[in-house]
Amino acid sequence: MQARPSPSPGRRRGAPRHRQGERRGSLVVVGIGLMLGRHVTVETVDAIRGAEHVFHLVTNPAAEAWVQRLNSRTTALGDCFREGKRRGRSYSEMAQRIVDAVRGGEQVCAVFYGHPGVLVSPAHQALVRARRAGYPARMLPGISAEDCLFADLAIDPRGLGWQSFEASDFLLRRRRFDPTVALILWQVGLLGEASVKPRMQARPERLRVLADRLAPHYPARHSAILYEAPEFPISDPVIGRVPLRRLAEKPFYPKTTLYVPPRPTTSYDARVARWFTSK
Amino acid sequence: MSGNLSEFLVDLASNPDQMAAFLADPDRVFDAAGLSGEERDAVRSRDAARLNAALSGGLQMQTGNTNNDMPSIRRAPARKKRPAGKKKKGGTKKGGKKKSGGSRKGGRKGGSKKR
């Protein structure tokens, strides 16, 4: 039996034609997880090592150094951020830089922290733009903050049920949720923030709006968990409890996640319950 | 920004021998890596916020942890005003049946009438 060829998509309709021997650009988008150098798959390491040009948006300079050890041909994307500049514009610029290199004929690898497909706007934008331009582009999975949360808080998302929202979107769209199911809110530290700035944290008045939205659906003393995944091999996860009504008293940073455990429920569908006892 | 501290942390993450040496005798590994007093304190604390501050003054941590944009706000297009006295078109299908789809409001009304 012959080995399967590597999964690189063929030329799409409308893709630029390439003469034999001509350099053809491609894109692989990868995620390196949260913990420095420890959450990475073999597939991702190969993609970084094999690239002609590596772009990266990672959490700290040590993670940059780790990427550079695998491949010295790197370009950081963090300089696309600027205080007062809309985040959407920064992400669009990042995607454009990546795709410009692909159009230039380079084998490009774009490295993000976490899972590149989970709450990573520039990764999705770059993938879509490269594919639309007719270049082979794919995404490799990584360990997301959510994966770390399930492990560190020992939560089985399938057992309790699980609903997950970006915090600003949750409030803006008045997302409906089920309080008897576990609730996870991401980027609470960035509630309604269009731009970034140093030492950012959620504004208390906005946290109060979030508390007012959540608290009526839970018992009076219901507590939530503030969670931050560990970033370094010597650091531990940050796990703190706070009563829902007092959310505004705690600092929420951009990487802080809010986990709201489910409210107990005893209701069930009697007809379905009979299935479990019938012979 | 400290290159020494970055390299030190990458070594710890990628080399089990280095991690074992650090756990056995941190000061000897600090000396070999040439870490400053502030960097040593940050590593000893094992606190991610302090480590990030020692690495980059905190700026990178804050910006690097936003990967996703604000939700986009799309407003519904403004409705054209109908001239006074002109009846609404398309309210009923041929044969006089109520539309099952259409606007949410209309759908709900239709549903309640059936009951």
Side-chain angles (χ1 to χ4, degrees):
Chain A
M1 195 173 140
Q2 277 189 327
R4 284 178 64 189
S6 62
S8 62
R11 192 176 76 86
R12 289 174 171 246
R13 188 184 294 180
R17 291 189 176 280
H18 294 269
R19 291 181 191 140
Q20 209 168 10
E22 189 181 357
R23 282 159 49 83
R24 187 189 178 198
S26 68
L27 174 63
V28 185
V29 178
V30 302
I32 59 169
L34 276 297
M35 186 184 282
L36 176 64
R38 295 268 178 125
H39 284 174
V40 192
T41 65
V42 175
E43 189 180 32
T44 289
V45 169
D46 285 348
I48 297 172
R49 279 199 176 123
E52 291 173 327
H53 195 157
V54 176
F55 290 88
H56 59 79
L57 181 66
V58 290
T59 44
N60 56 61
E64 286 186 26
W66 180 85
V67 172
Q68 279 164 353
R69 278 200 195 177
L70 290 180
N71 192 327
S72 59
R73 299 177 293 271
T74 62
T75 300
L77 295 169
D79 63 316
C80 291
F81 286 121
R82 211 170 44 243
E83 195 173 339
K85 181 176 168 184
R86 289 192 76 84
R87 283 194 278 139
R89 228 182 103 198
S90 302
Y91 299 132
S92 181
E93 272 179 32
M94 290 175 197
Q96 200 53 49
R97 278 194 200 175
I98 294 165
V99 175
D100 284 348
V102 175
R103 286 178 186 276
E106 291 183 307
Q107 312 288 305
V108 174
C109 180
V111 178
F112 297 90
Y113 61 90
H115 185 304
V118 180
L119 280 175
V120 187
S121 174
H124 281 289
Q125 287 187 44
L127 202 70
V128 168
R129 289 184 202 178
R131 283 179 176 166
R132 277 191 190 149
Y135 294 95
R138 60 190 295 240
M139 180 184 281
L140 306 183
I143 292 181
S144 71
E146 198 159 59
D147 298 319
C148 300
L149 182 146
F150 293 144
D152 288 326
L153 302 187
I155 291 164
D156 177 355
R158 299 287 176 259
L160 293 174
W162 158 48
Q163 50 199 332
S164 184
F165 301 95
E166 201 277 336
S168 299
D169 175 80
F170 178 77
L171 286 180
L172 177 71
R173 303 284 177 209
R174 298 193 187 99
R175 297 290 183 196
R176 285 191 290 182
F177 67 102
D178 180 349
T180 65
V181 170
L183 171 68
I184 301 173
L185 295 177
W186 301 96
Q187 301 192 147
V188 180
L190 294 166
L191 266 182
E193 301 290 353
S195 180
V196 292
K197 57 186 174 188
R199 288 167 284 282
M200 210 167 178
Q201 66 182 72
R203 304 179 198 194
E205 67 273 20
R206 292 182 181 177
L207 287 174
R208 275 193 283 276
V209 173
L210 179 61
D212 290 346
R213 171 90 170 86
L214 293 172
H217 299 275
Y218 294 92
R221 291 187 179 176
H222 201 74
S223 283
I225 294 174
L226 280 69
Y227 171 77
E228 290 175 19
E231 264 183 81
F232 303 101
I234 51 169
S235 58
D236 294 318
V238 177
I239 300 169
R241 277 192 174 269
V242 59
L244 265 185
R245 291 174 197 279
R246 294 168 62 186
L247 275 187
E249 294 172 20
K250 291 280 182 182
F252 279 80
Y253 303 104
K255 62 179 176 178
T256 311
T257 299
L258 183 69
Y259 169 73
V260 187
R263 180 183 87 190
T265 179
T266 51
S267 70
Y268 59 88
D269 186 316
R271 186 181 58 171
V272 176
R274 281 196 292 274
W275 296 348
F276 298 100
T277 52
S278 63
K279 288 181 182 174
Chain B
M1 173 175 156
S2 168
N4 281 353
L5 181 56
S6 287
E7 295 299 329
F8 171 81
L9 290 168
V10 174
D11 282 341
L12 281 190
S14 356
N15 182 351
D17 293 338
Q18 181 77 350
M19 178 62 93
F22 165 72
L23 293 174
D25 187 353
D27 286 321
R28 198 167 62 84
V29 182
F30 289 154
D31 288 341
L35 297 193
S36 69
E38 185 197 344
E39 290 167 340
R40 291 171 193 226
D41 289 345
V43 175
R44 279 198 193 95
S45 76
R46 301 191 175 209
D47 179 78
R50 283 188 70 178
L51 283 162
N52 270 300
L55 281 164
S56 61
L59 181 64
Q60 178 73 18
M61 177 185 74
Q62 303 305 348
T63 56
N65 274 290
T66 65
N67 255 346
N68 204 57
D69 195 12
M70 287 272 290
S72 61
I73 304 165
R74 286 184 192 154
R75 295 182 203 286
R79 286 182 182 174
K80 284 182 184 173
K81 278 190 176 177
R82 272 196 308 278
K86 204 169 183 182
K87 282 189 177 179
K88 191 181 175 184
K89 279 184 180 178
T92 54
K93 282 183 179 177
K94 276 182 185 175
K97 279 186 180 177
K98 274 268 180 191
K99 262 190 170 181
S100 57
S103 72
R104 200 186 243 185
K105 206 175 173 185
R108 279 182 188 163
K109 270 187 179 173
S112 63
K113 276 189 177 179
K114 277 181 184 174
R115 281 178 220 142

